[in-house]
Amino acid sequence: AAASAGSIRYNEAMQDFEGFNGIEWKSLTASYNNAPLVNNAGVAENLGYAVAIYGNYAVVGAPVNNWSCGGGAKNGKAYVFKKTGNTWAYVQDITPTAAALGVGCNQQYGKAVAIYDNYIAVAAPNAEVSGFSEAGAVFIYKLAGNNFSYLQKITASNAATSEHFGSSLSIYGNYLAIGAGGSQYVVYPSAIGRAYIFTKSTNSFTQQQIINNPTSNYNDQFGISVSIDSTTLAVGSAGCTVGSNASQGKVYTYKNAGASYNFANEIVHSVANANDNFGWAVSLNGNDLAIGCPNYDVGGVLINCGAVFTATKDINGDFSGSSLSIITNSEEASEKQFGYSISVYQNKLLVGAPGSTNNTTNNYFGAVHLYTKPAATWQFARVLSRGNAATDFFNGHSVSLQGLTY
C-alpha cells in the first residue's frame, strides 16, 4: 500500500528511521544543516558551482566572483568550511593573488575543486599562462594548523591557448588527476581533450604523465571529468561521437602500473542516443564506478531526463562496459539532467539533478538523490534535498560524499 503522510518506517539499507511527509521519505535522525553563511560572499558569484568534502573540511568554488576586476568579471573564489559536531561553519577564503591568478578577468578560479587529507586543489581553467589565454592553472593549498595556506601553482608542461587545464580535478593519496577538456593539441582546432597526472613528493606536486585522447577527434571533451584512486583512473569524454551518435560520450579507464597509468578499457553504454553526454561526470571508489549521463533520453519522449550508469570491477580488477547497470530517475521527466553530478563512497551514491522541479511546474530548482548498495545492486534511498523556490536554484549542480557527510 502507498504510504500516507505521517507514516514511519525503518530503512534497513540506511539503518535509519524515516518519516513520510506526503511527498518523500526523510530521515528522523539525520542532522540537516542550512548553508553556513559566508560574510564576504558576493552577489551571483555561483557559490557552490563545485564542492568537495574530506573529513571535517569542505571546499566550495564560486567561479563568478568578481573580487579583482569588479562587476561582470569572473575571477572566482573558493571558500573553506569546517564541521564541528554536526555544524558547518565558514573558515576562510583561499584565493591567490591577482598576480598569481594572471592577467584578465575571466579565470573562473573555483570552477573545479578537490580535497584529500591535508591538501586542497582549486582550478582556474580560463587562466592565462605564459601568454596563452585560457590555458588554465591549478592552485594547491596545504592545511597548517587551522587554516589552509598557499603551496603551489600547477600548469601543464605543454600549455596552449584554450586548453582549459583544470576542467576537472580528482585527488587521492599522492595522485592528482587534472582534466583539460578544451585541449586542442597543435594540429586540431577544437576541444579534443587531455588528462594529466601529478604526483606528490614531500610538499609539492610534479607532472608525471600526459594522457592524450585515444581518438584525437574534435569536440570529444576528453577530460571533462576525471576520478582517480591508487589503482584506477577514469576519464570522461562526454562529447565523443559513437557510431553515428554525436556527443553520445565514452569513458576510458586506466590502471596504475607504478610509473604510469596505462590504458585498460573503453566504456560505452548500449542503450544510447546522440547528445547523451555519457561521461559528463565520473566517480570511483573501491570496486565501484559511477558515470553520469545527464542528457539521456527516455523512450524518445523524455528529453534530457538523465541517467547514471554503474560498473563493478571484475576478477582482474577492471571496469568494462559489459558490467554496466543503469539507474534512472524515479521522478522521470524531461530536462531533469539526473546524473549531472555524482559521488560514490562506500556503498552510497549521490546523484545531482539540477533540472528537477521543487514539486512545482518550474524546472531548475534541482534535487539530490541518495542510493545505497546493501548487496549487489543499487537501491533508491531518498531525495536528500531540493532547491527552494525563493532562494535556491540548480541544487545538485555539484555533489560530494565522504563517510556519512554530504
Side-chain angles (χ1 to χ4, degrees):
S4 58
S7 298
I8 295 174
R9 72 178 183 185
Y10 181 73
N11 186 328
E12 185 68 34
M14 296 298 298
Q15 297 185 341
D16 191 15
F17 286 97
E18 298 173 333
F20 189 67
N21 62 9
I23 299 172
E24 59 195 352
W25 291 97
K26 302 283 286 186
S27 171
L28 297 177
T29 62
S31 174
Y32 294 94
N33 287 293
N34 292 323
L37 295 176
V38 180
N39 293 334
N40 61 346
V43 176
E45 64 176 33
N46 283 11
L47 178 67
Y49 188 98
V51 298
I53 292 175
Y54 185 87
N56 291 324
Y57 287 95
V59 57
V60 180
V64 184
N65 185 288
N66 59 11
W67 63 271
S68 178
C69 292
K74 298 179 181 179
N75 306 118
K77 267 192 177 184
Y79 301 92
V80 177
F81 299 84
K82 185 177 181 180
K83 179 166 67 78
T84 303
N86 287 322
T87 302
W88 287 92
Y90 164 77
V91 175
Q92 67 178 118
D93 300 4
I94 47 172
T95 305
T97 64
L101 195 55
V103 302
C105 295
N106 187 39
Q107 296 94 339
Q108 295 189 33
Y109 171 92
K111 199 166 187 179
V113 297
I115 182 171
Y116 188 90
D117 198 12
N118 293 325
Y119 294 88
I120 284 175
V122 182
N126 287 5
E128 185 211 51
V129 176
S130 302
F132 297 112
S133 63
E134 299 187 4
V138 174
F139 297 82
I140 306 297
Y141 301 83
K142 183 180 180 182
L143 183 63
N146 293 319
N147 288 278
F148 285 84
S149 300
Y150 173 77
L151 180 66
Q152 179 183 9
K153 178 180 178 179
I154 291 175
T155 58
S157 60
N158 55 352
T161 298
S162 298
E163 294 280 282
H164 300 298
F165 177 83
S167 300
S168 57
L169 296 172
S170 178
I171 187 170
Y172 183 93
N174 292 327
Y175 296 99
L176 170 64
I178 301 175
S183 182
Q184 301 182 57
Y185 297 7
V186 176
V187 179
Y188 303 111
S190 181
I192 296 169
R194 279 193 178 107
Y196 298 78
I197 295 176
F198 287 73
T199 55
K200 176 170 63 72
S201 177
T202 312
N203 272 333
S204 65
F205 286 84
T206 56
Q207 185 176 301
Q208 173 183 323
Q209 184 180 0
I210 300 174
I211 299 176
N212 290 322
N213 180 350
T215 70
S216 296
N217 291 331
Y218 302 171
N219 299 317
D220 274 3
Q221 295 182 302
F222 178 87
I224 195 69
S225 61
V226 294
S227 185
I228 195 169
D229 64 18
S230 60
T231 65
T232 308
L233 167 71
V235 182
S237 185
C240 185
T241 296
V242 180
S244 61
N245 289 337
S247 297
Q248 177 184 318
K250 291 182 181 179
V251 170
Y252 298 87
T253 60
Y254 299 80
K255 292 181 71 173
N256 191 351
S260 64
Y261 279 74
N262 297 336
F263 176 79
N265 277 309
E266 171 187 294
I267 300 176
V268 297
H269 71 96
S270 58
V271 285
N273 306 286
N275 302 311
D276 277 354
N277 295 133
F278 176 84
W280 181 262
V282 293
S283 182
L284 279 167
N285 183 254
N287 292 323
D288 292 311
L289 169 63
I291 301 168
C293 189
N295 293 331
Y296 178 77
D297 299 340
V298 176
V301 178
L302 301 180
I303 308 303
N304 299 339
C305 180
V308 172
F309 292 81
T310 62
T312 304
K313 281 183 180 176
D314 62 23
I315 194 171
N316 297 315
D318 293 324
F319 294 104
S320 68
S322 62
S323 67
L324 284 179
S325 299
I326 186 171
I327 299 173
T328 54
N329 191 347
S330 60
E331 303 173 330
E332 286 184 345
S334 292
E335 306 301 335
K336 295 274 190 175
Q337 292 194 303
F338 176 83
Y340 190 93
S341 60
I342 51 177
S343 182
V344 63
Y345 186 83
Q346 293 183 351
N347 297 325
K348 291 184 176 64
L349 171 65
L350 283 187
V351 181
S356 290
T357 64
N358 190 22
N359 301 312
T360 71
T361 58
N362 297 316
N363 285 342
Y364 306 115
F365 293 128
V368 178
H369 301 250
L370 174 66
Y371 293 78
T372 62
K373 192 172 73 167
T377 59
W378 290 99
Q379 299 177 8
F380 173 72
R382 56 178 174 256
V383 177
L384 287 177
S385 63
R386 296 183 188 274
N388 181 291
T391 60
D392 302 322
F393 298 93
F394 300 105
N395 192 24
H397 185 279
S398 182
V399 297
S400 185
L401 167 67
Q402 211 263 333
L404 297 176
T405 304
Y406 28 77

